[in-house]
Amino acid sequence: MTNWPYGIRRAEAEDAGLIGARFSALMGAYDTGLSALWADWCQRDDHYLYLLEKEQPEGLVAVRRVEEALRSDTAQAEIIAWYLGKSTRGSKLGRKLLVHGLTVAKRLECQEVVLWLPSSAGRAYRIAVGLGFSSAYCRETNTAEGAVKERGLCLDLEDYF
């Protein structure tokens, strides 16, 4: 684990411009219009966007409670964005950021959390599986750059904390 002085904090509306500038370029084809919503998410009570930062944002996790769960018998949260900049990858900070997202999902009184990952995100997939997630869903979204294939991984939060 790195010993750099990183912190995690909830993003504020004033952070939206910096978030958009920092992460839109990093997320590339997987940014399906999310950056336009970040300012709104920072102000809502049903969306939670947290930043991992040192001197500038290095990662983010965004969590929301799902209105219509994929399984109707479970209160479900969804991690709609989980990203770590290249300079901090391999430092276990991505795992720490994801666990923070799980804590938020638990605070939202959800029994299950779904994490959507691009099919090409092998490292992120291994981290999630290491935390107990298992493959459950898949989806394909058409974007201007082409089709984006994603895996939906689930984690039961009942006994997680």
Side-chain angles (χ1 to χ4, degrees):
M1 175 92 166
T2 183
N3 60 1
W4 300 326
Y6 285 91
I8 297 175
R9 69 170 176 89
R10 186 160 184 195
E12 300 173 359
E14 300 80 44
D15 295 317
L18 181 60
I19 294 167
R22 180 77 173 131
F23 296 114
S24 290
L26 293 173
M27 294 175 78
Y30 301 112
D31 178 14
T32 56
L34 294 179
S35 60
L37 300 174
W38 281 333
D40 181 47
W41 289 357
C42 292
Q43 299 176 64
R44 293 177 63 160
D45 292 333
D46 59 345
H47 285 62
Y48 296 86
L49 177 60
Y50 284 85
L51 298 175
L52 171 77
E53 62 184 4
K54 186 177 180 183
E55 294 158 1
Q56 64 180 352
E58 298 293 340
L60 64 84
V61 65
V63 182
R64 69 176 175 182
R65 186 178 173 109
V66 177
E67 293 296 321
E68 293 185 33
L70 295 171
R71 289 189 354 201
S72 61
D73 61 336
T74 303
Q76 214 173 49
E78 181 178 38
I79 297 176
I80 47 183
W82 171 47
Y83 190 81
L84 196 64
K86 289 181 183 179
S87 64
T88 50
R89 292 181 190 160
S91 61
K92 300 199 187 286
L93 290 169
R95 181 182 322 265
K96 183 175 183 166
L97 192 57
L98 182 56
V99 168
H100 192 82
L102 299 177
T103 303
V104 171
K106 189 73 171 185
R107 254 193 344 250
L108 291 170
E109 299 180 0
C110 293
Q111 290 86 35
E112 184 176 72
V113 65
V114 176
L115 168 64
W116 291 100
L117 293 175
S119 295
S120 60
R123 183 180 181 87
Y125 178 82
R126 289 187 300 277
I127 291 168
V129 168
L131 288 173
F133 280 87
S134 60
S135 293
Y137 310 103
C138 62
R139 68 182 179 191
E140 187 171 322
T141 306
N142 293 318
T143 67
E145 293 83 18
V148 176
K149 295 181 181 180
E150 296 174 294
R151 294 184 269 196
L153 292 92
C154 286
L155 178 66
D156 183 344
L157 294 174
E158 286 293 309
D159 297 323
Y160 196 76
F161 295 102

